[in-house]
Amino acid sequence: MQQYIDTGYTPMSFIFDFTTRGRRRKDQDFRNAMALLNAMSPSDRADIGIKQADFTRIAREMTRR
């Protein structure tokens, strides 16, 4: 016979916690980095040597710093 431990944590409370918790600071930093990269003109991107496909990788690196 299997025993269950009653923790008082229901699926509905999980959904509530999942939807109401705040975003982590790292998520906001990633969004800011993506906005900065998207705001650059094509000539600025060409000067630096980055392509639009590299934006997510570069934004992740920017948030680590």
Side-chain angles (χ1 to χ4, degrees):
M1 186 168 162
Q2 191 174 13
Q3 292 181 338
Y4 295 100
I5 299 171
D6 184 21
T7 60
Y9 203 72
T10 63
M12 194 62 189
S13 64
F14 169 77
I15 292 170
F16 179 77
D17 289 346
F18 184 73
T19 56
T20 58
R21 68 178 177 199
R23 288 197 171 112
R24 297 184 309 250
R25 174 75 181 148
K26 198 173 196 178
D27 293 343
Q28 188 61 40
D29 290 344
F30 179 79
R31 287 174 183 257
N32 292 339
M34 285 295 289
L36 177 72
L37 291 169
N38 283 318
M40 294 173 67
S41 68
S43 61
D44 289 339
R45 292 183 212 147
D47 289 342
I48 301 172
I50 61 172
K51 297 179 181 153
Q52 194 165 3
D54 298 330
F55 281 7
T56 54
R57 179 184 53 83
I58 293 168
R60 270 188 247 114
E61 289 175 2
M62 289 171 71
T63 57
R64 282 189 221 138
R65 295 179 185 174

Tab-separated table of all heavy atoms in Angstrom:
chain	number	residue	atom	x	y	z
A	1	MET	N	0.843	-1.178	0.000
A	1	MET	CA	0.000	0.000	0.000
A	1	MET	C	0.888	1.241	0.000
A	1	MET	O	1.827	1.349	0.770
A	1	MET	CB	-0.891	-0.031	1.229
A	1	MET	CG	-1.895	1.035	1.268
A	1	MET	SD	-3.042	0.625	2.589
A	1	MET	CE	-3.767	2.164	2.811
A	2	GLN	N	0.572	2.152	-0.881
A	2	GLN	CA	1.389	3.355	-1.020
A	2	GLN	C	0.865	4.445	-0.087
A	2	GLN	O	-0.341	4.655	0.023
A	2	GLN	CB	1.333	3.834	-2.467
A	2	GLN	CG	2.336	4.895	-2.783
A	2	GLN	CD	2.335	5.224	-4.273
A	2	GLN	OE1	1.439	4.824	-4.980
A	2	GLN	NE2	3.329	5.932	-4.707
A	3	GLN	N	1.777	5.112	0.575
A	3	GLN	CA	1.385	6.173	1.483
A	3	GLN	C	1.649	7.522	0.826
A	3	GLN	O	2.654	7.700	0.133
A	3	GLN	CB	2.169	6.083	2.781
A	3	GLN	CG	1.815	4.879	3.606
A	3	GLN	CD	2.618	4.863	4.887
A	3	GLN	OE1	3.672	5.482	4.963
A	3	GLN	NE2	2.131	4.150	5.876
A	4	TYR	N	0.763	8.446	1.054
A	4	TYR	CA	0.910	9.794	0.525
A	4	TYR	C	1.133	10.761	1.670
A	4	TYR	O	0.515	10.657	2.725
A	4	TYR	CB	-0.334	10.214	-0.262
A	4	TYR	CG	-0.547	9.393	-1.507
A	4	TYR	CD1	-1.453	8.344	-1.529
A	4	TYR	CD2	0.171	9.670	-2.655
A	4	TYR	CE1	-1.636	7.594	-2.674
A	4	TYR	CE2	-0.005	8.924	-3.799
A	4	TYR	CZ	-0.917	7.889	-3.811
A	4	TYR	OH	-1.085	7.156	-4.942
A	5	ILE	N	2.014	11.696	1.448
A	5	ILE	CA	2.269	12.723	2.448
A	5	ILE	C	1.460	13.953	2.057
A	5	ILE	O	1.586	14.462	0.947
A	5	ILE	CB	3.768	13.072	2.509
A	5	ILE	CG1	4.567	11.843	2.902
A	5	ILE	CG2	4.006	14.211	3.477
A	5	ILE	CD1	6.057	12.022	2.792
A	6	ASP	N	0.634	14.402	2.956
A	6	ASP	CA	-0.188	15.574	2.680
A	6	ASP	C	0.617	16.832	2.986
A	6	ASP	O	0.897	17.150	4.133
A	6	ASP	CB	-1.461	15.547	3.524
A	6	ASP	CG	-2.381	16.698	3.177
A	6	ASP	OD1	-2.239	17.258	2.067
A	6	ASP	OD2	-3.241	17.032	4.013
A	7	THR	N	1.021	17.520	1.933
A	7	THR	CA	1.794	18.748	2.112
A	7	THR	C	0.920	19.984	2.038
A	7	THR	O	1.382	21.086	2.291
A	7	THR	CB	2.880	18.854	1.023
A	7	THR	OG1	2.245	18.867	-0.251
A	7	THR	CG2	3.858	17.709	1.120
A	8	GLY	N	-0.337	19.811	1.645
A	8	GLY	CA	-1.225	20.954	1.505
A	8	GLY	C	-1.001	21.699	0.203
A	8	GLY	O	-1.553	22.760	-0.022
A	9	TYR	N	-0.167	21.146	-0.641
A	9	TYR	CA	0.162	21.789	-1.909
A	9	TYR	C	-0.659	21.133	-3.003
A	9	TYR	O	-0.475	19.973	-3.327
A	9	TYR	CB	1.659	21.624	-2.187
A	9	TYR	CG	2.223	22.668	-3.116
A	9	TYR	CD1	2.384	23.973	-2.695
A	9	TYR	CD2	2.581	22.339	-4.409
A	9	TYR	CE1	2.898	24.929	-3.530
A	9	TYR	CE2	3.104	23.293	-5.258
A	9	TYR	CZ	3.265	24.587	-4.814
A	9	TYR	OH	3.771	25.538	-5.642
A	10	THR	N	-1.587	21.858	-3.569
A	10	THR	CA	-2.482	21.319	-4.584
A	10	THR	C	-2.058	21.794	-5.971
A	10	THR	O	-1.293	22.758	-6.076
A	10	THR	CB	-3.922	21.795	-4.324
A	10	THR	OG1	-3.959	23.207	-4.453
A	10	THR	CG2	-4.397	21.380	-2.952
A	11	PRO	N	-2.520	21.150	-7.023
A	11	PRO	CA	-2.195	21.622	-8.374
A	11	PRO	C	-2.628	23.064	-8.606
A	11	PRO	O	-1.956	23.821	-9.290
A	11	PRO	CB	-2.957	20.666	-9.285
A	11	PRO	CG	-3.121	19.427	-8.482
A	11	PRO	CD	-3.247	19.894	-7.063
A	12	MET	N	-3.727	23.473	-8.028
A	12	MET	CA	-4.190	24.850	-8.202
A	12	MET	C	-3.233	25.836	-7.540
A	12	MET	O	-2.966	26.906	-8.079
A	12	MET	CB	-5.593	25.004	-7.621
A	12	MET	CG	-6.265	26.258	-8.031
A	12	MET	SD	-6.449	26.251	-9.826
A	12	MET	CE	-7.002	27.888	-10.077
A	13	SER	N	-2.683	25.485	-6.398
A	13	SER	CA	-1.735	26.396	-5.751
A	13	SER	C	-0.445	26.471	-6.556
A	13	SER	O	0.197	27.519	-6.594
A	13	SER	CB	-1.465	25.956	-4.314
A	13	SER	OG	-0.846	24.690	-4.274
A	14	PHE	N	-0.069	25.386	-7.222
A	14	PHE	CA	1.108	25.430	-8.087
A	14	PHE	C	0.887	26.411	-9.230
A	14	PHE	O	1.746	27.228	-9.531
A	14	PHE	CB	1.430	24.047	-8.648
A	14	PHE	CG	2.451	24.077	-9.736
A	14	PHE	CD1	3.792	24.240	-9.439
A	14	PHE	CD2	2.082	23.982	-11.067
A	14	PHE	CE1	4.742	24.294	-10.436
A	14	PHE	CE2	3.011	24.031	-12.079
A	14	PHE	CZ	4.354	24.184	-11.757
A	15	ILE	N	-0.281	26.330	-9.863
A	15	ILE	CA	-0.578	27.236	-10.982
A	15	ILE	C	-0.602	28.676	-10.501
A	15	ILE	O	-0.073	29.579	-11.157
A	15	ILE	CB	-1.923	26.840	-11.642
A	15	ILE	CG1	-1.760	25.490	-12.332
A	15	ILE	CG2	-2.387	27.896	-12.629
A	15	ILE	CD1	-3.043	24.865	-12.817
A	16	PHE	N	-1.177	28.918	-9.324
A	16	PHE	CA	-1.219	30.265	-8.776
A	16	PHE	C	0.195	30.780	-8.528
A	16	PHE	O	0.535	31.901	-8.912
A	16	PHE	CB	-2.030	30.289	-7.483
A	16	PHE	CG	-2.093	31.640	-6.852
A	16	PHE	CD1	-2.923	32.611	-7.358
A	16	PHE	CD2	-1.308	31.942	-5.753
A	16	PHE	CE1	-2.972	33.868	-6.785
A	16	PHE	CE2	-1.351	33.187	-5.175
A	16	PHE	CZ	-2.191	34.163	-5.690
A	17	ASP	N	1.042	29.975	-7.891
A	17	ASP	CA	2.418	30.385	-7.615
A	17	ASP	C	3.198	30.608	-8.903
A	17	ASP	O	3.990	31.533	-9.001
A	17	ASP	CB	3.140	29.334	-6.773
A	17	ASP	CG	2.647	29.289	-5.348
A	17	ASP	OD1	1.937	30.227	-4.937
A	17	ASP	OD2	2.967	28.312	-4.657
A	18	PHE	N	2.971	29.762	-9.884
A	18	PHE	CA	3.701	29.858	-11.149
A	18	PHE	C	3.355	31.142	-11.895
A	18	PHE	O	4.212	31.772	-12.497
A	18	PHE	CB	3.373	28.636	-12.008
A	18	PHE	CG	4.146	28.580	-13.292
A	18	PHE	CD1	5.490	28.260	-13.289
A	18	PHE	CD2	3.534	28.842	-14.498
A	18	PHE	CE1	6.211	28.203	-14.456
A	18	PHE	CE2	4.233	28.792	-15.682
A	18	PHE	CZ	5.584	28.470	-15.660
A	19	THR	N	2.088	31.548	-11.852
A	19	THR	CA	1.665	32.717	-12.613
A	19	THR	C	1.858	34.024	-11.873
A	19	THR	O	1.907	35.076	-12.500
A	19	THR	CB	0.181	32.597	-13.019
A	19	THR	OG1	-0.600	32.399	-11.851
A	19	THR	CG2	-0.028	31.441	-13.971
A	20	THR	N	1.964	33.999	-10.556
A	20	THR	CA	2.046	35.247	-9.809
A	20	THR	C	3.456	35.605	-9.360
A	20	THR	O	3.673	36.723	-8.924
A	20	THR	CB	1.160	35.198	-8.555
A	20	THR	OG1	1.567	34.105	-7.734
A	20	THR	CG2	-0.290	35.089	-8.927
A	21	ARG	N	4.371	34.691	-9.461
A	21	ARG	CA	5.711	35.027	-8.982
A	21	ARG	C	6.371	36.024	-9.931
A	21	ARG	O	6.090	36.070	-11.118
A	21	ARG	CB	6.567	33.778	-8.827
A	21	ARG	CG	6.909	33.118	-10.132
A	21	ARG	CD	7.782	31.918	-9.918
A	21	ARG	NE	8.010	31.287	-11.198
A	21	ARG	CZ	8.402	30.065	-11.361
A	21	ARG	NH1	8.623	29.320	-10.314
A	21	ARG	NH2	8.584	29.574	-12.560
A	22	GLY	N	7.250	36.820	-9.391
A	22	GLY	CA	7.925	37.836	-10.183
A	22	GLY	C	8.990	37.240	-11.088
A	22	GLY	O	9.450	36.111	-10.887
A	23	ARG	N	9.355	37.991	-12.085
A	23	ARG	CA	10.414	37.541	-12.984
A	23	ARG	C	11.768	37.750	-12.319
A	23	ARG	O	11.975	38.690	-11.560
A	23	ARG	CB	10.366	38.330	-14.285
A	23	ARG	CG	9.206	37.946	-15.138
A	23	ARG	CD	9.459	38.433	-16.558
A	23	ARG	NE	8.463	37.885	-17.437
A	23	ARG	CZ	7.525	38.598	-18.031
A	23	ARG	NH1	7.459	39.889	-17.824
A	23	ARG	NH2	6.656	38.023	-18.823
A	24	ARG	N	12.681	36.882	-12.657
A	24	ARG	CA	14.026	37.020	-12.124
A	24	ARG	C	14.724	38.210	-12.776
A	24	ARG	O	14.398	38.620	-13.878
A	24	ARG	CB	14.820	35.748	-12.389
A	24	ARG	CG	14.247	34.540	-11.686
A	24	ARG	CD	15.123	33.336	-11.894
A	24	ARG	NE	15.433	33.118	-13.285
A	24	ARG	CZ	14.974	32.125	-14.023
A	24	ARG	NH1	14.189	31.245	-13.483
A	24	ARG	NH2	15.313	31.994	-15.278
A	25	ARG	N	15.684	38.749	-12.115
A	25	ARG	CA	16.444	39.897	-12.613
A	25	ARG	C	17.152	39.537	-13.916
A	25	ARG	O	17.263	40.360	-14.820
A	25	ARG	CB	17.451	40.331	-11.547
A	25	ARG	CG	18.397	41.396	-11.968
A	25	ARG	CD	17.712	42.734	-12.023
A	25	ARG	NE	18.688	43.725	-12.456
A	25	ARG	CZ	18.371	44.777	-13.161
A	25	ARG	NH1	17.134	45.000	-13.471
A	25	ARG	NH2	19.291	45.623	-13.528
A	26	LYS	N	17.598	38.294	-14.029
A	26	LYS	CA	18.313	37.862	-15.224
A	26	LYS	C	17.414	37.923	-16.459
A	26	LYS	O	17.870	38.258	-17.541
A	26	LYS	CB	18.828	36.441	-15.011
A	26	LYS	CG	19.908	36.017	-15.925
A	26	LYS	CD	20.449	34.673	-15.497
A	26	LYS	CE	21.772	34.431	-16.151
A	26	LYS	NZ	22.360	33.179	-15.745
A	27	ASP	N	16.128	37.599	-16.295
A	27	ASP	CA	15.188	37.679	-17.410
A	27	ASP	C	15.058	39.106	-17.921
A	27	ASP	O	15.021	39.347	-19.125
A	27	ASP	CB	13.815	37.156	-17.000
A	27	ASP	CG	13.818	35.668	-16.705
A	27	ASP	OD1	14.771	34.982	-17.124
A	27	ASP	OD2	12.871	35.203	-16.058
A	28	GLN	N	14.969	40.050	-17.000
A	28	GLN	CA	14.845	41.452	-17.394
A	28	GLN	C	16.129	41.929	-18.070
A	28	GLN	O	16.073	42.680	-19.048
A	28	GLN	CB	14.523	42.323	-16.181
A	28	GLN	CG	14.194	43.756	-16.538
A	28	GLN	CD	12.977	43.863	-17.438
A	28	GLN	OE1	11.999	43.148	-17.255
A	28	GLN	NE2	13.029	44.738	-18.405
A	29	ASP	N	17.274	41.505	-17.577
A	29	ASP	CA	18.542	41.872	-18.217
A	29	ASP	C	18.616	41.326	-19.632
A	29	ASP	O	19.110	41.996	-20.540
A	29	ASP	CB	19.728	41.350	-17.399
A	29	ASP	CG	19.891	42.086	-16.086
A	29	ASP	OD1	19.311	43.177	-15.937
A	29	ASP	OD2	20.605	41.560	-15.214
A	30	PHE	N	18.116	40.101	-19.840
A	30	PHE	CA	18.119	39.506	-21.169
A	30	PHE	C	17.223	40.306	-22.113
A	30	PHE	O	17.588	40.591	-23.247
A	30	PHE	CB	17.649	38.047	-21.102
A	30	PHE	CG	17.603	37.362	-22.437
A	30	PHE	CD1	18.762	36.882	-23.012
A	30	PHE	CD2	16.408	37.204	-23.118
A	30	PHE	CE1	18.739	36.253	-24.239
A	30	PHE	CE2	16.367	36.577	-24.345
A	30	PHE	CZ	17.537	36.106	-24.910
A	31	ARG	N	16.050	40.697	-21.633
A	31	ARG	CA	15.148	41.500	-22.456
A	31	ARG	C	15.775	42.843	-22.823
A	31	ARG	O	15.639	43.318	-23.948
A	31	ARG	CB	13.828	41.739	-21.727
A	31	ARG	CG	12.965	40.521	-21.652
A	31	ARG	CD	11.745	40.819	-20.788
A	31	ARG	NE	10.928	39.657	-20.628
A	31	ARG	CZ	9.796	39.458	-21.288
A	31	ARG	NH1	9.363	40.346	-22.133
A	31	ARG	NH2	9.106	38.366	-21.088
A	32	ASN	N	16.469	43.462	-21.860
A	32	ASN	CA	17.125	44.734	-22.133
A	32	ASN	C	18.237	44.578	-23.158
A	32	ASN	O	18.413	45.435	-24.038
A	32	ASN	CB	17.677	45.341	-20.846
A	32	ASN	CG	16.588	45.788	-19.905
A	32	ASN	OD1	15.455	46.019	-20.317
A	32	ASN	ND2	16.923	45.899	-18.639
A	33	ALA	N	18.987	43.504	-23.065
A	33	ALA	CA	20.075	43.262	-24.017
A	33	ALA	C	19.519	43.024	-25.417
A	33	ALA	O	20.058	43.528	-26.411
A	33	ALA	CB	20.912	42.069	-23.570
A	34	MET	N	18.418	42.276	-25.514
A	34	MET	CA	17.797	42.039	-26.820
A	34	MET	C	17.263	43.343	-27.408
A	34	MET	O	17.394	43.593	-28.606
A	34	MET	CB	16.669	41.016	-26.704
A	34	MET	CG	17.143	39.600	-26.535
A	34	MET	SD	18.047	38.959	-27.945
A	34	MET	CE	16.748	38.786	-29.140
A	35	ALA	N	16.686	44.194	-26.573
A	35	ALA	CA	16.179	45.483	-27.055
A	35	ALA	C	17.321	46.350	-27.566
A	35	ALA	O	17.197	47.022	-28.599
A	35	ALA	CB	15.427	46.196	-25.936
A	36	LEU	N	18.444	46.329	-26.869
A	36	LEU	CA	19.608	47.095	-27.302
A	36	LEU	C	20.126	46.592	-28.645
A	36	LEU	O	20.417	47.393	-29.551
A	36	LEU	CB	20.708	46.998	-26.246
A	36	LEU	CG	22.022	47.697	-26.582
A	36	LEU	CD1	21.833	49.194	-26.504
A	36	LEU	CD2	23.115	47.241	-25.654
A	37	LEU	N	20.212	45.284	-28.802
A	37	LEU	CA	20.701	44.723	-30.065
A	37	LEU	C	19.734	44.993	-31.215
A	37	LEU	O	20.168	45.274	-32.343
A	37	LEU	CB	20.934	43.219	-29.908
A	37	LEU	CG	22.105	42.836	-29.009
A	37	LEU	CD1	22.066	41.349	-28.713
A	37	LEU	CD2	23.419	43.214	-29.646
A	38	ASN	N	18.450	44.928	-30.945
A	38	ASN	CA	17.461	45.195	-31.993
A	38	ASN	C	17.408	46.671	-32.372
A	38	ASN	O	16.993	47.014	-33.473
A	38	ASN	CB	16.075	44.709	-31.564
A	38	ASN	CG	15.942	43.219	-31.686
A	38	ASN	OD1	16.390	42.633	-32.657
A	38	ASN	ND2	15.334	42.602	-30.685
A	39	ALA	N	17.824	47.548	-31.471
A	39	ALA	CA	17.800	48.982	-31.745
A	39	ALA	C	18.971	49.420	-32.626
A	39	ALA	O	18.944	50.524	-33.169
A	39	ALA	CB	17.813	49.763	-30.440
A	40	MET	N	19.968	48.573	-32.761
A	40	MET	CA	21.135	48.927	-33.572
A	40	MET	C	20.771	48.959	-35.053
A	40	MET	O	19.962	48.159	-35.518
A	40	MET	CB	22.272	47.926	-33.351
A	40	MET	CG	22.847	47.946	-31.958
A	40	MET	SD	24.040	46.637	-31.694
A	40	MET	CE	25.339	47.130	-32.771
A	41	SER	N	21.376	49.875	-35.779
A	41	SER	CA	21.134	49.940	-37.218
A	41	SER	C	21.945	48.842	-37.913
A	41	SER	O	22.937	48.349	-37.365
A	41	SER	CB	21.533	51.312	-37.756
A	41	SER	OG	22.935	51.477	-37.686
A	42	PRO	N	21.543	48.471	-39.123
A	42	PRO	CA	22.293	47.443	-39.862
A	42	PRO	C	23.761	47.819	-40.105
A	42	PRO	O	24.631	46.957	-40.073
A	42	PRO	CB	21.537	47.327	-41.182
A	42	PRO	CG	20.153	47.765	-40.860
A	42	PRO	CD	20.304	48.824	-39.806
A	43	SER	N	24.029	49.101	-40.280
A	43	SER	CA	25.426	49.511	-40.485
A	43	SER	C	26.243	49.363	-39.205
A	43	SER	O	27.421	48.996	-39.253
A	43	SER	CB	25.497	50.945	-41.007
A	43	SER	OG	24.929	51.834	-40.071
A	44	ASP	N	25.610	49.640	-38.038
A	44	ASP	CA	26.297	49.433	-36.756
A	44	ASP	C	26.610	47.947	-36.549
A	44	ASP	O	27.693	47.595	-36.081
A	44	ASP	CB	25.444	49.928	-35.586
A	44	ASP	CG	25.344	51.436	-35.531
A	44	ASP	OD1	26.219	52.112	-36.113
A	44	ASP	OD2	24.390	51.932	-34.902
A	45	ARG	N	25.650	47.100	-36.897
A	45	ARG	CA	25.878	45.661	-36.772
A	45	ARG	C	26.999	45.193	-37.685
A	45	ARG	O	27.814	44.355	-37.310
A	45	ARG	CB	24.609	44.889	-37.110
A	45	ARG	CG	23.515	45.069	-36.117
A	45	ARG	CD	22.340	44.209	-36.489
A	45	ARG	NE	21.115	44.876	-36.078
A	45	ARG	CZ	19.971	44.793	-36.704
A	45	ARG	NH1	19.855	44.049	-37.784
A	45	ARG	NH2	18.921	45.436	-36.268
A	46	ALA	N	27.048	45.741	-38.891
A	46	ALA	CA	28.095	45.360	-39.838
A	46	ALA	C	29.465	45.813	-39.344
A	46	ALA	O	30.461	45.108	-39.532
A	46	ALA	CB	27.803	45.957	-41.205
A	47	ASP	N	29.526	46.986	-38.695
A	47	ASP	CA	30.798	47.477	-38.147
A	47	ASP	C	31.335	46.536	-37.077
A	47	ASP	O	32.539	46.289	-36.995
A	47	ASP	CB	30.634	48.877	-37.551
A	47	ASP	CG	30.432	49.946	-38.604
A	47	ASP	OD1	30.755	49.679	-39.792
A	47	ASP	OD2	29.953	51.043	-38.250
A	48	ILE	N	30.448	46.035	-36.249
A	48	ILE	CA	30.865	45.140	-35.167
A	48	ILE	C	31.071	43.725	-35.687
A	48	ILE	O	31.862	42.967	-35.145
A	48	ILE	CB	29.813	45.142	-34.032
A	48	ILE	CG1	29.630	46.539	-33.483
A	48	ILE	CG2	30.227	44.214	-32.907
A	48	ILE	CD1	28.492	46.656	-32.507
A	49	GLY	N	30.348	43.368	-36.737
A	49	GLY	CA	30.490	42.034	-37.312
A	49	GLY	C	29.557	41.003	-36.715
A	49	GLY	O	29.914	39.825	-36.594
A	50	ILE	N	28.360	41.441	-36.312
A	50	ILE	CA	27.391	40.481	-35.784
A	50	ILE	C	26.193	40.397	-36.720
A	50	ILE	O	25.872	41.338	-37.440
A	50	ILE	CB	26.916	40.847	-34.360
A	50	ILE	CG1	26.231	42.221	-34.335
A	50	ILE	CG2	28.050	40.797	-33.379
A	50	ILE	CD1	25.570	42.543	-33.021
A	51	LYS	N	25.549	39.246	-36.697
A	51	LYS	CA	24.350	39.026	-37.501
A	51	LYS	C	23.166	38.864	-36.564
A	51	LYS	O	23.328	38.592	-35.380
A	51	LYS	CB	24.527	37.773	-38.349
A	51	LYS	CG	25.650	37.902	-39.330
A	51	LYS	CD	25.826	36.641	-40.129
A	51	LYS	CE	26.995	36.861	-41.070
A	51	LYS	NZ	27.661	35.660	-41.427
A	52	GLN	N	21.973	39.033	-37.101
A	52	GLN	CA	20.781	38.952	-36.275
A	52	GLN	C	20.615	37.563	-35.661
A	52	GLN	O	20.074	37.418	-34.572
A	52	GLN	CB	19.547	39.323	-37.082
A	52	GLN	CG	18.350	39.578	-36.213
A	52	GLN	CD	17.246	40.296	-36.951
A	52	GLN	OE1	17.368	40.559	-38.132
A	52	GLN	NE2	16.187	40.606	-36.262
A	53	ALA	N	21.109	36.550	-36.315
A	53	ALA	CA	21.017	35.188	-35.773
A	53	ALA	C	21.853	35.023	-34.506
A	53	ALA	O	21.607	34.119	-33.709
A	53	ALA	CB	21.458	34.180	-36.817
A	54	ASP	N	22.822	35.893	-34.295
A	54	ASP	CA	23.687	35.820	-33.117
A	54	ASP	C	23.121	36.563	-31.910
A	54	ASP	O	23.722	36.536	-30.844
A	54	ASP	CB	25.068	36.407	-33.436
A	54	ASP	CG	25.786	35.660	-34.523
A	54	ASP	OD1	25.557	34.443	-34.659
A	54	ASP	OD2	26.588	36.287	-35.245
A	55	PHE	N	21.984	37.233	-32.061
A	55	PHE	CA	21.468	38.091	-31.005
A	55	PHE	C	21.214	37.351	-29.695
A	55	PHE	O	21.580	37.842	-28.633
A	55	PHE	CB	20.176	38.774	-31.446
A	55	PHE	CG	20.402	39.968	-32.347
A	55	PHE	CD1	21.658	40.282	-32.832
A	55	PHE	CD2	19.351	40.765	-32.705
A	55	PHE	CE1	21.851	41.360	-33.661
A	55	PHE	CE2	19.524	41.857	-33.534
A	55	PHE	CZ	20.779	42.154	-34.009
A	56	THR	N	20.602	36.184	-29.743
A	56	THR	CA	20.297	35.485	-28.494
A	56	THR	C	21.563	35.053	-27.767
A	56	THR	O	21.654	35.169	-26.551
A	56	THR	CB	19.400	34.255	-28.732
A	56	THR	OG1	20.004	33.417	-29.709
A	56	THR	CG2	18.021	34.673	-29.200
A	57	ARG	N	22.541	34.591	-28.520
A	57	ARG	CA	23.808	34.188	-27.891
A	57	ARG	C	24.496	35.392	-27.256
A	57	ARG	O	24.966	35.333	-26.112
A	57	ARG	CB	24.728	33.551	-28.927
A	57	ARG	CG	26.081	33.133	-28.361
A	57	ARG	CD	27.005	32.599	-29.439
A	57	ARG	NE	27.153	33.494	-30.571
A	57	ARG	CZ	28.011	34.535	-30.601
A	57	ARG	NH1	28.751	34.812	-29.561
A	57	ARG	NH2	28.103	35.288	-31.682
A	58	ILE	N	24.533	36.493	-27.967
A	58	ILE	CA	25.183	37.704	-27.454
A	58	ILE	C	24.436	38.245	-26.241
A	58	ILE	O	25.050	38.663	-25.261
A	58	ILE	CB	25.285	38.757	-28.569
A	58	ILE	CG1	26.239	38.273	-29.661
A	58	ILE	CG2	25.746	40.091	-28.021
A	58	ILE	CD1	26.210	39.092	-30.928
A	59	ALA	N	23.110	38.226	-26.287
A	59	ALA	CA	22.312	38.712	-25.152
A	59	ALA	C	22.545	37.847	-23.919
A	59	ALA	O	22.642	38.366	-22.805
A	59	ALA	CB	20.835	38.728	-25.523
A	60	ARG	N	22.652	36.524	-24.100
A	60	ARG	CA	22.960	35.654	-22.961
A	60	ARG	C	24.320	35.982	-22.369
A	60	ARG	O	24.502	36.008	-21.149
A	60	ARG	CB	22.925	34.196	-23.378
A	60	ARG	CG	21.564	33.576	-23.214
A	60	ARG	CD	21.583	32.085	-23.441
A	60	ARG	NE	20.814	31.821	-24.643
A	60	ARG	CZ	21.291	31.354	-25.783
A	60	ARG	NH1	22.539	31.028	-25.887
A	60	ARG	NH2	20.513	31.162	-26.825
A	61	GLU	N	25.304	36.242	-23.229
A	61	GLU	CA	26.640	36.599	-22.743
A	61	GLU	C	26.603	37.937	-22.010
A	61	GLU	O	27.302	38.117	-21.012
A	61	GLU	CB	27.618	36.657	-23.901
A	61	GLU	CG	27.958	35.300	-24.487
A	61	GLU	CD	28.834	35.412	-25.720
A	61	GLU	OE1	29.207	36.527	-26.112
A	61	GLU	OE2	29.137	34.349	-26.314
A	62	MET	N	25.805	38.870	-22.501
A	62	MET	CA	25.706	40.181	-21.847
A	62	MET	C	25.090	40.059	-20.466
A	62	MET	O	25.468	40.790	-19.543
A	62	MET	CB	24.893	41.142	-22.721
A	62	MET	CG	25.600	41.575	-23.973
A	62	MET	SD	24.546	42.496	-25.112
A	62	MET	CE	24.346	44.039	-24.236
A	63	THR	N	24.135	39.158	-20.280
A	63	THR	CA	23.492	39.012	-18.970
A	63	THR	C	24.400	38.323	-17.965
A	63	THR	O	24.232	38.507	-16.762
A	63	THR	CB	22.171	38.235	-19.069
A	63	THR	OG1	22.411	36.959	-19.652
A	63	THR	CG2	21.152	38.988	-19.885
A	64	ARG	N	25.334	37.537	-18.423
A	64	ARG	CA	26.274	36.879	-17.499
A	64	ARG	C	27.253	37.856	-16.887
A	64	ARG	O	27.806	37.630	-15.836
A	64	ARG	CB	27.046	35.790	-18.224
A	64	ARG	CG	26.256	34.538	-18.410
A	64	ARG	CD	27.124	33.434	-18.931
A	64	ARG	NE	26.355	32.713	-19.939
A	64	ARG	CZ	26.812	32.288	-21.082
A	64	ARG	NH1	28.063	32.485	-21.406
A	64	ARG	NH2	26.047	31.656	-21.933
A	65	ARG	N	27.502	38.945	-17.554
A	65	ARG	CA	28.514	39.913	-17.070
A	65	ARG	C	27.975	40.846	-16.042
A	65	ARG	O	26.913	41.103	-15.799
A	65	ARG	CB	29.056	40.722	-18.248
A	65	ARG	CG	29.786	39.840	-19.186
A	65	ARG	CD	30.298	40.611	-20.337
A	65	ARG	NE	30.898	39.664	-21.273
A	65	ARG	CZ	31.342	39.992	-22.440
A	65	ARG	NH1	31.296	41.220	-22.853
A	65	ARG	NH2	31.876	39.101	-23.222
